[in-house]
Amino acid sequence: MSIVKDKTKDFSMTIPPSDGHKLDKEQKDLIRSHANELAGQRSTERRVRNEMLSVLYRLEEYLQREEAASGEVFTIEYFVSEFCKVLGLNRSQFAGLLDTDTSNLNKYLRGQRAFNIELAMKFSRFFHTPVDIWLKVQLKNDLIALHKEEKVSKYDKYDYKKALRLA
């Protein structure tokens, strides 16, 4: 036990070279246990903050990905649910904290009502995120839907060239 304590005491978090050298099981276990020890020392507030940042980073990553490469569409509802999960809030609690009723919030999150700047401001303040990030998610998803609709031939009749030929 004293050997492990000494190793932990002298522990340094250097990243090994990527030239094929591998860490053995003992080294990996030592790193893992040290990381877990440090994580256990974090306050609840710090853990929540880290988890909130994790959701924010996933949201930002989603916005940066090319739509064709991503394949999946993540809605505002998805990200709100992820943030609320970290905070231990259900949908009705969250709606109450935003001074709205649950059914009204659900209509915005499910796309039955147009997402707006006021709601983006509330989300931004509540989750400590940039305000424009919520609008960017909505815009990205709208553009993905638009590109899918462009391929549908029902809009082919709306063409000024056809109108000129009829005149």
mmCIF file of all heavy atoms in Angstrom, residues 109-150:
data_model
loop_
_atom_site.group_PDB
_atom_site.id
_atom_site.type_symbol
_atom_site.label_atom_id
_atom_site.label_comp_id
_atom_site.label_asym_id
_atom_site.label_seq_id
_atom_site.Cartn_x
_atom_site.Cartn_y
_atom_site.Cartn_z
ATOM 1 N N LEU A 109 -40.717 23.293 -28.289
ATOM 2 C CA LEU A 109 -39.645 22.301 -28.413
ATOM 3 C C LEU A 109 -39.924 21.269 -29.490
ATOM 4 O O LEU A 109 -39.000 20.756 -30.114
ATOM 5 C CB LEU A 109 -39.413 21.609 -27.065
ATOM 6 C CG LEU A 109 -38.870 22.504 -25.954
ATOM 7 C CD1 LEU A 109 -38.732 21.717 -24.659
ATOM 8 C CD2 LEU A 109 -37.550 23.138 -26.345
ATOM 9 N N ARG A 110 -41.192 20.994 -29.752
ATOM 10 C CA ARG A 110 -41.552 19.983 -30.758
ATOM 11 C C ARG A 110 -41.814 20.586 -32.131
ATOM 12 O O ARG A 110 -42.203 19.887 -33.062
ATOM 13 C CB ARG A 110 -42.755 19.194 -30.277
ATOM 14 C CG ARG A 110 -42.392 18.380 -29.051
ATOM 15 C CD ARG A 110 -43.468 17.447 -28.624
ATOM 16 N NE ARG A 110 -42.993 16.686 -27.468
ATOM 17 C CZ ARG A 110 -43.712 16.440 -26.411
ATOM 18 N NH1 ARG A 110 -44.967 16.846 -26.348
ATOM 19 N NH2 ARG A 110 -43.203 15.760 -25.405
ATOM 20 N N GLY A 111 -41.621 21.893 -32.248
ATOM 21 C CA GLY A 111 -41.758 22.540 -33.547
ATOM 22 C C GLY A 111 -43.176 22.891 -33.936
ATOM 23 O O GLY A 111 -43.430 23.250 -35.084
ATOM 24 N N GLN A 112 -44.127 22.780 -33.023
ATOM 25 C CA GLN A 112 -45.506 23.142 -33.321
ATOM 26 C C GLN A 112 -45.701 24.653 -33.290
ATOM 27 O O GLN A 112 -46.674 25.160 -33.815
ATOM 28 C CB GLN A 112 -46.461 22.454 -32.343
ATOM 29 C CG GLN A 112 -46.433 20.944 -32.472
ATOM 30 C CD GLN A 112 -47.111 20.254 -31.307
ATOM 31 O OE1 GLN A 112 -47.276 20.824 -30.230
ATOM 32 N NE2 GLN A 112 -47.492 18.998 -31.522
ATOM 33 N N ARG A 113 -44.777 25.346 -32.649
ATOM 34 C CA ARG A 113 -44.730 26.805 -32.657
ATOM 35 C C ARG A 113 -43.311 27.207 -33.041
ATOM 36 O O ARG A 113 -42.357 26.508 -32.716
ATOM 37 C CB ARG A 113 -45.054 27.387 -31.280
ATOM 38 C CG ARG A 113 -46.487 27.229 -30.901
ATOM 39 C CD ARG A 113 -46.857 28.154 -29.770
ATOM 40 N NE ARG A 113 -48.262 27.969 -29.469
ATOM 41 C CZ ARG A 113 -48.767 28.001 -28.269
ATOM 42 N NH1 ARG A 113 -47.993 28.248 -27.231
ATOM 43 N NH2 ARG A 113 -50.052 27.820 -28.069
ATOM 44 N N ALA A 114 -43.208 28.338 -33.703
ATOM 45 C CA ALA A 114 -41.893 28.803 -34.140
ATOM 46 C C ALA A 114 -41.039 29.200 -32.933
ATOM 47 O O ALA A 114 -41.484 29.954 -32.070
ATOM 48 C CB ALA A 114 -42.038 29.984 -35.083
ATOM 49 N N PHE A 115 -39.832 28.660 -32.888
ATOM 50 C CA PHE A 115 -38.889 29.027 -31.839
ATOM 51 C C PHE A 115 -38.560 30.500 -32.021
ATOM 52 O O PHE A 115 -38.384 30.975 -33.129
ATOM 53 C CB PHE A 115 -37.630 28.160 -31.963
ATOM 54 C CG PHE A 115 -36.717 28.271 -30.792
ATOM 55 C CD1 PHE A 115 -37.009 27.630 -29.599
ATOM 56 C CD2 PHE A 115 -35.560 29.021 -30.876
ATOM 57 C CE1 PHE A 115 -36.165 27.742 -28.512
ATOM 58 C CE2 PHE A 115 -34.711 29.131 -29.795
ATOM 59 C CZ PHE A 115 -35.009 28.491 -28.610
ATOM 60 N N ASN A 116 -38.476 31.252 -30.921
ATOM 61 C CA ASN A 116 -38.308 32.692 -31.049
ATOM 62 C C ASN A 116 -37.161 33.227 -30.192
ATOM 63 O O ASN A 116 -36.581 32.507 -29.380
ATOM 64 C CB ASN A 116 -39.619 33.410 -30.705
ATOM 65 C CG ASN A 116 -40.086 33.088 -29.296
ATOM 66 O OD1 ASN A 116 -39.317 33.133 -28.345
ATOM 67 N ND2 ASN A 116 -41.368 32.748 -29.170
ATOM 68 N N ILE A 117 -36.876 34.488 -30.381
ATOM 69 C CA ILE A 117 -35.757 35.137 -29.692
ATOM 70 C C ILE A 117 -35.977 35.168 -28.181
ATOM 71 O O ILE A 117 -35.038 34.972 -27.410
ATOM 72 C CB ILE A 117 -35.535 36.553 -30.262
ATOM 73 C CG1 ILE A 117 -35.043 36.446 -31.695
ATOM 74 C CG2 ILE A 117 -34.571 37.344 -29.419
ATOM 75 C CD1 ILE A 117 -34.988 37.749 -32.445
ATOM 76 N N GLU A 118 -37.197 35.405 -27.755
ATOM 77 C CA GLU A 118 -37.469 35.458 -26.312
ATOM 78 C C GLU A 118 -37.124 34.133 -25.634
ATOM 79 O O GLU A 118 -36.489 34.102 -24.579
ATOM 80 C CB GLU A 118 -38.930 35.819 -26.050
ATOM 81 C CG GLU A 118 -39.225 35.933 -24.560
ATOM 82 C CD GLU A 118 -40.673 36.281 -24.258
ATOM 83 O OE1 GLU A 118 -41.425 36.631 -25.179
ATOM 84 O OE2 GLU A 118 -41.026 36.198 -23.069
ATOM 85 N N LEU A 119 -37.527 33.042 -26.257
ATOM 86 C CA LEU A 119 -37.220 31.725 -25.695
ATOM 87 C C LEU A 119 -35.713 31.462 -25.743
ATOM 88 O O LEU A 119 -35.145 30.901 -24.796
ATOM 89 C CB LEU A 119 -37.984 30.643 -26.466
ATOM 90 C CG LEU A 119 -38.343 29.380 -25.713
ATOM 91 C CD1 LEU A 119 -39.024 29.672 -24.390
ATOM 92 C CD2 LEU A 119 -39.207 28.491 -26.568
ATOM 93 N N ALA A 120 -35.061 31.874 -26.814
ATOM 94 C CA ALA A 120 -33.609 31.727 -26.917
ATOM 95 C C ALA A 120 -32.914 32.500 -25.790
ATOM 96 O O ALA A 120 -31.943 32.007 -25.198
ATOM 97 C CB ALA A 120 -33.113 32.212 -28.278
ATOM 98 N N MET A 121 -33.424 33.687 -25.479
ATOM 99 C CA MET A 121 -32.858 34.484 -24.385
ATOM 100 C C MET A 121 -33.046 33.776 -23.039
ATOM 101 O O MET A 121 -32.124 33.728 -22.219
ATOM 102 C CB MET A 121 -33.513 35.872 -24.330
ATOM 103 C CG MET A 121 -33.141 36.792 -25.459
ATOM 104 S SD MET A 121 -31.435 37.324 -25.400
ATOM 105 C CE MET A 121 -31.457 38.355 -23.953
ATOM 106 N N LYS A 122 -34.221 33.210 -22.823
ATOM 107 C CA LYS A 122 -34.476 32.503 -21.566
ATOM 108 C C LYS A 122 -33.558 31.288 -21.428
ATOM 109 O O LYS A 122 -32.973 31.059 -20.372
ATOM 110 C CB LYS A 122 -35.943 32.070 -21.486
ATOM 111 C CG LYS A 122 -36.901 33.213 -21.229
ATOM 112 C CD LYS A 122 -38.328 32.705 -21.150
ATOM 113 C CE LYS A 122 -39.308 33.828 -20.869
ATOM 114 N NZ LYS A 122 -40.691 33.323 -20.706
ATOM 115 N N PHE A 123 -33.432 30.506 -22.509
ATOM 116 C CA PHE A 123 -32.550 29.336 -22.477
ATOM 117 C C PHE A 123 -31.112 29.763 -22.227
ATOM 118 O O PHE A 123 -30.390 29.141 -21.455
ATOM 119 C CB PHE A 123 -32.624 28.559 -23.790
ATOM 120 C CG PHE A 123 -33.893 27.777 -24.000
ATOM 121 C CD1 PHE A 123 -34.952 27.834 -23.117
ATOM 122 C CD2 PHE A 123 -34.027 26.976 -25.116
ATOM 123 C CE1 PHE A 123 -36.116 27.104 -23.324
ATOM 124 C CE2 PHE A 123 -35.169 26.235 -25.337
ATOM 125 C CZ PHE A 123 -36.220 26.304 -24.434
ATOM 126 N N SER A 124 -30.712 30.816 -22.896
ATOM 127 C CA SER A 124 -29.349 31.321 -22.772
ATOM 128 C C SER A 124 -29.033 31.713 -21.329
ATOM 129 O O SER A 124 -27.998 31.330 -20.777
ATOM 130 C CB SER A 124 -29.161 32.523 -23.694
ATOM 131 O OG SER A 124 -27.937 33.146 -23.444
ATOM 132 N N ARG A 125 -29.901 32.468 -20.732
ATOM 133 C CA ARG A 125 -29.686 32.909 -19.341
ATOM 134 C C ARG A 125 -29.724 31.727 -18.374
ATOM 135 O O ARG A 125 -28.909 31.625 -17.468
ATOM 136 C CB ARG A 125 -30.746 33.928 -18.909
ATOM 137 C CG ARG A 125 -30.747 35.167 -19.707
ATOM 138 C CD ARG A 125 -29.620 36.069 -19.347
ATOM 139 N NE ARG A 125 -29.843 37.320 -20.082
ATOM 140 C CZ ARG A 125 -28.934 38.213 -20.273
ATOM 141 N NH1 ARG A 125 -27.746 38.051 -19.788
ATOM 142 N NH2 ARG A 125 -29.198 39.290 -20.949
ATOM 143 N N PHE A 126 -30.682 30.832 -18.599
ATOM 144 C CA PHE A 126 -30.862 29.722 -17.672
ATOM 145 C C PHE A 126 -29.682 28.748 -17.714
ATOM 146 O O PHE A 126 -29.174 28.327 -16.677
ATOM 147 C CB PHE A 126 -32.171 28.975 -17.979
ATOM 148 C CG PHE A 126 -32.527 27.973 -16.927
ATOM 149 C CD1 PHE A 126 -33.207 28.371 -15.781
ATOM 150 C CD2 PHE A 126 -32.184 26.641 -17.064
ATOM 151 C CE1 PHE A 126 -33.526 27.453 -14.788
ATOM 152 C CE2 PHE A 126 -32.500 25.717 -16.080
ATOM 153 C CZ PHE A 126 -33.168 26.123 -14.943
ATOM 154 N N PHE A 127 -29.251 28.374 -18.929
ATOM 155 C CA PHE A 127 -28.198 27.372 -19.083
ATOM 156 C C PHE A 127 -26.791 27.977 -19.189
ATOM 157 O O PHE A 127 -25.824 27.242 -19.349
ATOM 158 C CB PHE A 127 -28.465 26.499 -20.308
ATOM 159 C CG PHE A 127 -29.712 25.664 -20.202
ATOM 160 C CD1 PHE A 127 -30.688 25.746 -21.179
ATOM 161 C CD2 PHE A 127 -29.917 24.795 -19.141
ATOM 162 C CE1 PHE A 127 -31.844 24.969 -21.108
ATOM 163 C CE2 PHE A 127 -31.064 24.018 -19.060
ATOM 164 C CZ PHE A 127 -32.028 24.107 -20.046
ATOM 165 N N HIS A 128 -26.701 29.319 -19.143
ATOM 166 C CA HIS A 128 -25.409 30.011 -19.264
ATOM 167 C C HIS A 128 -24.720 29.660 -20.582
ATOM 168 O O HIS A 128 -23.562 29.247 -20.606
ATOM 169 C CB HIS A 128 -24.496 29.679 -18.075
ATOM 170 C CG HIS A 128 -25.028 30.156 -16.774
ATOM 171 N ND1 HIS A 128 -24.392 31.109 -16.017
ATOM 172 C CD2 HIS A 128 -26.151 29.836 -16.080
ATOM 173 C CE1 HIS A 128 -25.086 31.345 -14.923
ATOM 174 N NE2 HIS A 128 -26.171 30.586 -14.952
ATOM 175 N N THR A 129 -25.455 29.838 -21.662
ATOM 176 C CA THR A 129 -24.939 29.572 -23.007
ATOM 177 C C THR A 129 -25.049 30.847 -23.834
ATOM 178 O O THR A 129 -25.815 31.743 -23.486
ATOM 179 C CB THR A 129 -25.763 28.462 -23.703
ATOM 180 O OG1 THR A 129 -27.124 28.897 -23.806
ATOM 181 C CG2 THR A 129 -25.686 27.152 -22.948
ATOM 182 N N PRO A 130 -24.326 30.908 -24.955
ATOM 183 C CA PRO A 130 -24.511 32.057 -25.847
ATOM 184 C C PRO A 130 -25.940 32.045 -26.407
ATOM 185 O O PRO A 130 -26.467 30.986 -26.743
ATOM 186 C CB PRO A 130 -23.495 31.809 -26.967
ATOM 187 C CG PRO A 130 -22.530 30.811 -26.421
ATOM 188 C CD PRO A 130 -23.269 30.012 -25.409
ATOM 189 N N VAL A 131 -26.551 33.202 -26.509
ATOM 190 C CA VAL A 131 -27.952 33.276 -26.950
ATOM 191 C C VAL A 131 -28.107 32.787 -28.390
ATOM 192 O O VAL A 131 -29.090 32.124 -28.724
ATOM 193 C CB VAL A 131 -28.521 34.695 -26.759
ATOM 194 C CG1 VAL A 131 -27.885 35.690 -27.693
ATOM 195 C CG2 VAL A 131 -30.024 34.694 -26.926
ATOM 196 N N ASP A 132 -27.154 33.096 -29.238
ATOM 197 C CA ASP A 132 -27.295 32.739 -30.644
ATOM 198 C C ASP A 132 -27.182 31.242 -30.914
ATOM 199 O O ASP A 132 -27.629 30.761 -31.951
ATOM 200 C CB ASP A 132 -26.278 33.494 -31.496
ATOM 201 C CG ASP A 132 -24.841 33.142 -31.152
ATOM 202 O OD1 ASP A 132 -24.555 32.863 -29.975
ATOM 203 O OD2 ASP A 132 -24.003 33.163 -32.067
ATOM 204 N N ILE A 133 -26.652 30.493 -29.970
ATOM 205 C CA ILE A 133 -26.460 29.062 -30.203
ATOM 206 C C ILE A 133 -27.796 28.342 -30.387
ATOM 207 O O ILE A 133 -27.914 27.425 -31.195
ATOM 208 C CB ILE A 133 -25.604 28.442 -29.079
ATOM 209 C CG1 ILE A 133 -24.863 27.231 -29.603
ATOM 210 C CG2 ILE A 133 -26.417 28.087 -27.858
ATOM 211 C CD1 ILE A 133 -23.710 26.824 -28.738
ATOM 212 N N TRP A 134 -28.813 28.789 -29.665
ATOM 213 C CA TRP A 134 -30.138 28.161 -29.771
ATOM 214 C C TRP A 134 -30.766 28.470 -31.130
ATOM 215 O O TRP A 134 -31.391 27.602 -31.752
ATOM 216 C CB TRP A 134 -31.042 28.627 -28.631
ATOM 217 C CG TRP A 134 -30.477 28.209 -27.315
ATOM 218 C CD1 TRP A 134 -29.777 28.983 -26.431
ATOM 219 C CD2 TRP A 134 -30.510 26.894 -26.761
ATOM 220 N NE1 TRP A 134 -29.388 28.222 -25.349
ATOM 221 C CE2 TRP A 134 -29.826 26.940 -25.527
ATOM 222 C CE3 TRP A 134 -31.056 25.679 -27.172
ATOM 223 C CZ2 TRP A 134 -29.678 25.824 -24.703
ATOM 224 C CZ3 TRP A 134 -30.910 24.564 -26.355
ATOM 225 C CH2 TRP A 134 -30.224 24.648 -25.147
ATOM 226 N N LEU A 135 -30.587 29.690 -31.588
ATOM 227 C CA LEU A 135 -31.118 30.070 -32.898
ATOM 228 C C LEU A 135 -30.366 29.350 -34.016
ATOM 229 O O LEU A 135 -30.950 28.984 -35.035
ATOM 230 C CB LEU A 135 -31.051 31.584 -33.071
ATOM 231 C CG LEU A 135 -31.888 32.369 -32.050
ATOM 232 C CD1 LEU A 135 -31.569 33.857 -32.125
ATOM 233 C CD2 LEU A 135 -33.366 32.117 -32.249
ATOM 234 N N LYS A 136 -29.073 29.122 -33.810
ATOM 235 C CA LYS A 136 -28.266 28.416 -34.812
ATOM 236 C C LYS A 136 -28.696 26.953 -34.939
ATOM 237 O O LYS A 136 -28.711 26.412 -36.036
ATOM 238 C CB LYS A 136 -26.782 28.500 -34.469
ATOM 239 C CG LYS A 136 -26.196 29.866 -34.727
ATOM 240 C CD LYS A 136 -24.731 29.925 -34.321
ATOM 241 C CE LYS A 136 -24.144 31.297 -34.562
ATOM 242 N NZ LYS A 136 -22.744 31.388 -34.109
ATOM 243 N N VAL A 137 -29.038 26.325 -33.820
ATOM 244 C CA VAL A 137 -29.539 24.942 -33.881
ATOM 245 C C VAL A 137 -30.829 24.901 -34.690
ATOM 246 O O VAL A 137 -30.998 24.051 -35.573
ATOM 247 C CB VAL A 137 -29.768 24.353 -32.462
ATOM 248 C CG1 VAL A 137 -30.513 23.023 -32.532
ATOM 249 C CG2 VAL A 137 -28.448 24.182 -31.739
ATOM 250 N N GLN A 138 -31.733 25.833 -34.402
ATOM 251 C CA GLN A 138 -32.991 25.888 -35.140
ATOM 252 C C GLN A 138 -32.747 26.134 -36.625
ATOM 253 O O GLN A 138 -33.336 25.472 -37.474
ATOM 254 C CB GLN A 138 -33.906 26.967 -34.564
ATOM 255 C CG GLN A 138 -35.277 26.996 -35.200
ATOM 256 C CD GLN A 138 -36.054 25.712 -34.949
ATOM 257 O OE1 GLN A 138 -36.118 25.236 -33.828
ATOM 258 N NE2 GLN A 138 -36.645 25.149 -35.988
ATOM 259 N N LEU A 139 -31.864 27.072 -36.935
ATOM 260 C CA LEU A 139 -31.552 27.389 -38.333
ATOM 261 C C LEU A 139 -30.930 26.194 -39.044
ATOM 262 O O LEU A 139 -31.313 25.868 -40.165
ATOM 263 C CB LEU A 139 -30.625 28.601 -38.412
ATOM 264 C CG LEU A 139 -30.209 29.023 -39.817
ATOM 265 C CD1 LEU A 139 -31.432 29.399 -40.656
ATOM 266 C CD2 LEU A 139 -29.218 30.170 -39.754
ATOM 267 N N LYS A 140 -29.983 25.526 -38.400
ATOM 268 C CA LYS A 140 -29.354 24.357 -39.022
ATOM 269 C C LYS A 140 -30.399 23.291 -39.327
ATOM 270 O O LYS A 140 -30.425 22.730 -40.423
ATOM 271 C CB LYS A 140 -28.273 23.773 -38.111
ATOM 272 C CG LYS A 140 -27.642 22.522 -38.711
ATOM 273 C CD LYS A 140 -26.523 21.959 -37.898
ATOM 274 C CE LYS A 140 -25.986 20.735 -38.616
ATOM 275 N NZ LYS A 140 -24.623 20.425 -38.278
ATOM 276 N N ASN A 141 -31.273 23.021 -38.383
ATOM 277 C CA ASN A 141 -32.298 22.002 -38.592
ATOM 278 C C ASN A 141 -33.294 22.418 -39.673
ATOM 279 O O ASN A 141 -33.742 21.589 -40.462
ATOM 280 C CB ASN A 141 -32.998 21.677 -37.279
ATOM 281 C CG ASN A 141 -32.061 20.993 -36.306
ATOM 282 O OD1 ASN A 141 -31.019 20.461 -36.686
ATOM 283 N ND2 ASN A 141 -32.406 21.010 -35.043
ATOM 284 N N ASP A 142 -33.620 23.709 -39.729
ATOM 285 C CA ASP A 142 -34.500 24.205 -40.793
ATOM 286 C C ASP A 142 -33.842 24.050 -42.161
ATOM 287 O O ASP A 142 -34.503 23.678 -43.139
ATOM 288 C CB ASP A 142 -34.866 25.675 -40.559
ATOM 289 C CG ASP A 142 -35.844 25.872 -39.418
ATOM 290 O OD1 ASP A 142 -36.445 24.874 -38.949
ATOM 291 O OD2 ASP A 142 -36.007 27.036 -38.978
ATOM 292 N N LEU A 143 -32.538 24.314 -42.240
ATOM 293 C CA LEU A 143 -31.825 24.163 -43.519
ATOM 294 C C LEU A 143 -31.734 22.703 -43.942
ATOM 295 O O LEU A 143 -31.850 22.389 -45.129
ATOM 296 C CB LEU A 143 -30.430 24.787 -43.426
ATOM 297 C CG LEU A 143 -30.404 26.307 -43.359
ATOM 298 C CD1 LEU A 143 -28.995 26.807 -43.068
ATOM 299 C CD2 LEU A 143 -30.943 26.916 -44.641
ATOM 300 N N ILE A 144 -31.546 21.814 -42.999
ATOM 301 C CA ILE A 144 -31.525 20.378 -43.317
ATOM 302 C C ILE A 144 -32.882 19.968 -43.883
ATOM 303 O O ILE A 144 -32.963 19.273 -44.900
ATOM 304 C CB ILE A 144 -31.159 19.541 -42.071
ATOM 305 C CG1 ILE A 144 -29.690 19.763 -41.712
ATOM 306 C CG2 ILE A 144 -31.443 18.062 -42.312
ATOM 307 C CD1 ILE A 144 -29.280 19.175 -40.372
ATOM 308 N N ALA A 145 -33.954 20.426 -43.243
ATOM 309 C CA ALA A 145 -35.310 20.110 -43.733
ATOM 310 C C ALA A 145 -35.538 20.723 -45.106
ATOM 311 O O ALA A 145 -36.141 20.091 -45.987
ATOM 312 C CB ALA A 145 -36.353 20.615 -42.738
ATOM 313 N N LEU A 146 -35.042 21.937 -45.314
ATOM 314 C CA LEU A 146 -35.180 22.606 -46.608
ATOM 315 C C LEU A 146 -34.500 21.813 -47.713
ATOM 316 O O LEU A 146 -35.067 21.612 -48.788
ATOM 317 C CB LEU A 146 -34.594 24.021 -46.539
ATOM 318 C CG LEU A 146 -34.529 24.782 -47.855
ATOM 319 C CD1 LEU A 146 -35.927 25.163 -48.317
ATOM 320 C CD2 LEU A 146 -33.647 26.004 -47.715
ATOM 321 N N HIS A 147 -33.292 21.342 -47.452
ATOM 322 C CA HIS A 147 -32.558 20.587 -48.465
ATOM 323 C C HIS A 147 -33.259 19.274 -48.795
ATOM 324 O O HIS A 147 -33.235 18.825 -49.943
ATOM 325 C CB HIS A 147 -31.117 20.343 -48.030
ATOM 326 C CG HIS A 147 -30.301 21.599 -48.004
ATOM 327 N ND1 HIS A 147 -30.137 22.427 -49.097
ATOM 328 C CD2 HIS A 147 -29.609 22.191 -47.002
ATOM 329 C CE1 HIS A 147 -29.390 23.454 -48.773
ATOM 330 N NE2 HIS A 147 -29.057 23.344 -47.509
ATOM 331 N N LYS A 148 -33.916 18.686 -47.826
ATOM 332 C CA LYS A 148 -34.689 17.472 -48.096
ATOM 333 C C LYS A 148 -35.905 17.797 -48.960
ATOM 334 O O LYS A 148 -36.249 17.050 -49.869
ATOM 335 C CB LYS A 148 -35.136 16.823 -46.785
ATOM 336 C CG LYS A 148 -34.022 16.125 -46.045
ATOM 337 C CD LYS A 148 -34.510 15.524 -44.745
ATOM 338 C CE LYS A 148 -33.376 14.893 -43.985
ATOM 339 N NZ LYS A 148 -33.776 14.417 -42.663
ATOM 340 N N GLU A 149 -36.565 18.921 -48.675
ATOM 341 C CA GLU A 149 -37.747 19.342 -49.433
ATOM 342 C C GLU A 149 -37.404 19.736 -50.862
ATOM 343 O O GLU A 149 -38.228 19.587 -51.756
ATOM 344 C CB GLU A 149 -38.454 20.504 -48.730
ATOM 345 C CG GLU A 149 -39.256 20.113 -47.517
ATOM 346 C CD GLU A 149 -40.471 19.274 -47.855
ATOM 347 O OE1 GLU A 149 -41.191 19.575 -48.835
ATOM 348 O OE2 GLU A 149 -40.710 18.304 -47.123
ATOM 349 N N GLU A 150 -36.205 20.268 -51.072
ATOM 350 C CA GLU A 150 -35.802 20.679 -52.425
ATOM 351 C C GLU A 150 -35.833 19.513 -53.394
ATOM 352 O O GLU A 150 -36.034 19.699 -54.595
ATOM 353 C CB GLU A 150 -34.384 21.270 -52.411
ATOM 354 C CG GLU A 150 -34.315 22.685 -51.932
ATOM 355 C CD GLU A 150 -32.890 23.225 -51.966
ATOM 356 O OE1 GLU A 150 -31.934 22.447 -51.776
ATOM 357 O OE2 GLU A 150 -32.748 24.437 -52.180
#
